[in-house]
Amino acid sequence: MKKNLLKCLSATFAVALMANVLQAQETVNPPVKLNTWSIGVNAGALTPISPLGGKNDFSNWKTNLGYGLYIKKQITPYFSLRLDGVRGKLSADNTEPFDNGVAITGGVSSFETDLNYSGSLNAVVNMFNIDMFRKENILQLYVSAGAGLAGYKTKITSAAGTRDYTSDNISELIIPVGLGAKFRLADKVNFDLGWTVNFVDGDNLDGFYKGNNNDKYSYAHAGLEFSLGSGEKQLAWHNPVALTYDEALAAKETATALKGVVDAQKAENARLRADMDNLLKDSDGDGVADKLDKCPDTPAGIVVDGSGCPLKVAPTKVIVTEADRKIVNEAIRNLEFDLGKSTLRAKSYPTLNRVAALLVEKNFSLKLAGHTDITGSMKLNLALSKDRAEAVKSYLVSQGANPSRIEATGYGPNQPIASNKTASGRQKNRRVEFTLF
């Protein structure tokens, strides 16, 4: 199990080395180069007790010198991995009674343990920055926790004398939990105060087995930490909150300056737009700007030349041939409606199609005049004559003729071409006349 733990610690530290490479690749335009590796040396007091719970096997614990070394990889300003090593001595005896007044007699009276090594990998979290609006802090508080191995050899003293607790060195799992404060003395030097309680996975550290009561020891230390690398600053003291605040202030100043530029540009654009509108102003709507229009106030719809004056266009002479008239006359002869209605009968379609094609081909204009006989009221005949002319127009338009060139008018019985006294005369008067022009 302990070999596996060492393998895990080695693998974890290898991950830290890889993280250094990845961070170097992923850092985008840092303001300054930041050092992420550091080493530290320290010395302090080793004691075989802990105030964090549990019972002490000896009543009179002693303070001995301890010293340590560590290497640390700073992952973010708030988190790092630290590989710690500590050596020293631990000792205690029973020359004084316990706090409950019970004196210890007989058995193991004292012990002395040489802590040959104590190695652990710890996660360190910076809990508090004194001034969140400073880019580089000078004081940090941190906590740490991890796991590792402690190797030691213990001597015990009893009535029989002093002897080794075991003939071999002992290695046991330890769980270190600590806190501390760090002061920045210079850009690459820190002063470190810390205190760590190491919980041992066993009851062999003091050479005295006292039931299910695992041993523990504390290490209070002071030391120096030295930043490694060519950077001027340490990532651990880098304060992204303050930098974000400064960037926000800088962005605000930039936005204010840009707003002034944008406002000035808007004013300039408004002036140019007014000048352009004045330059392109066309009061009479003939398509020629007032500044170039030599004939202002041209009536709407009049075609003008480049100077804005009416364009003189020679009228196009329309020639209607006898063949054209023949097509129209044939359509008139074949034109039939339902009795008393304006509905065209299918017999009328073929010759009307020829008239529509003629209008499209030669762009003729056509006047349709509807007529009736005197049968029925005047109002009814006027409406019927108009509807029949419109019916013819609608059909021609459906075949492609230009509706603007077709005029449909109803005259009722007012323009007879035969007597309304005979049936044949009334038949002739019921008609729609086509006039090409």
Side-chain angles (χ1 to χ4, degrees), residues 157-347:
T157 300
S158 62
T162 300
R163 63 178 177 85
D164 290 337
Y165 177 61
T166 62
S167 60
D168 297 324
N169 288 336
I170 300 175
S171 295
E172 289 184 314
L173 173 69
I174 57 172
I175 303 296
V177 177
L179 56 84
K182 192 167 294 185
F183 302 84
R184 182 167 59 87
L185 302 180
D187 286 339
K188 292 191 174 184
V189 182
N190 306 319
F191 178 66
D192 185 26
L193 290 175
W195 179 58
T196 304
V197 177
N198 297 272
F199 296 90
V200 183
D201 186 25
D203 194 15
N204 301 302
L205 185 69
D206 55 10
F208 182 72
Y209 183 77
K210 195 176 182 180
N212 189 20
N213 183 29
N214 289 352
D215 292 324
K216 60 195 77 68
Y217 63 93
S218 299
Y219 179 48
H221 68 269
L224 294 176
E225 181 182 71
F226 302 93
S227 175
L228 303 177
S230 59
E232 298 178 357
K233 305 291 184 180
Q234 303 176 56
L235 178 60
W237 296 104
H238 181 67
N239 191 342
V241 174
L243 288 181
T244 301
Y245 178 74
D246 288 348
E247 289 170 0
L249 291 179
K252 182 179 179 181
E253 292 176 0
T254 302
T256 301
L258 289 176
K259 184 177 183 300
V261 174
V262 171
D263 290 342
Q265 189 61 51
K266 285 182 178 179
E268 178 65 16
N269 290 343
R271 185 187 65 80
L272 291 175
R273 189 178 298 109
D275 292 344
M276 184 63 69
D277 291 342
N278 185 51
L279 181 64
L280 299 178
K281 185 178 181 181
D282 181 14
S283 300
D284 56 7
D286 60 0
V288 179
D290 290 351
K291 291 183 176 295
L292 303 175
D293 198 342
K294 295 182 179 179
C295 298
D297 302 324
T298 303
I302 300 298
V303 180
V304 298
D305 57 18
S307 64
C309 294
L311 186 64
K312 296 180 180 180
V313 181
T316 301
K317 188 175 182 180
V318 178
I319 300 176
V320 180
T321 65
E322 288 299 325
D324 299 333
R325 291 190 179 91
K326 183 178 179 181
I327 292 173
V328 171
N329 291 335
E330 186 178 359
I332 293 173
R333 287 195 302 270
N334 292 323
L335 191 63
E336 290 187 6
F337 296 93
D338 288 343
L339 184 63
K341 298 180 181 180
S342 60
T343 304
L344 281 169
R345 291 181 176 176
K347 179 183 177 181

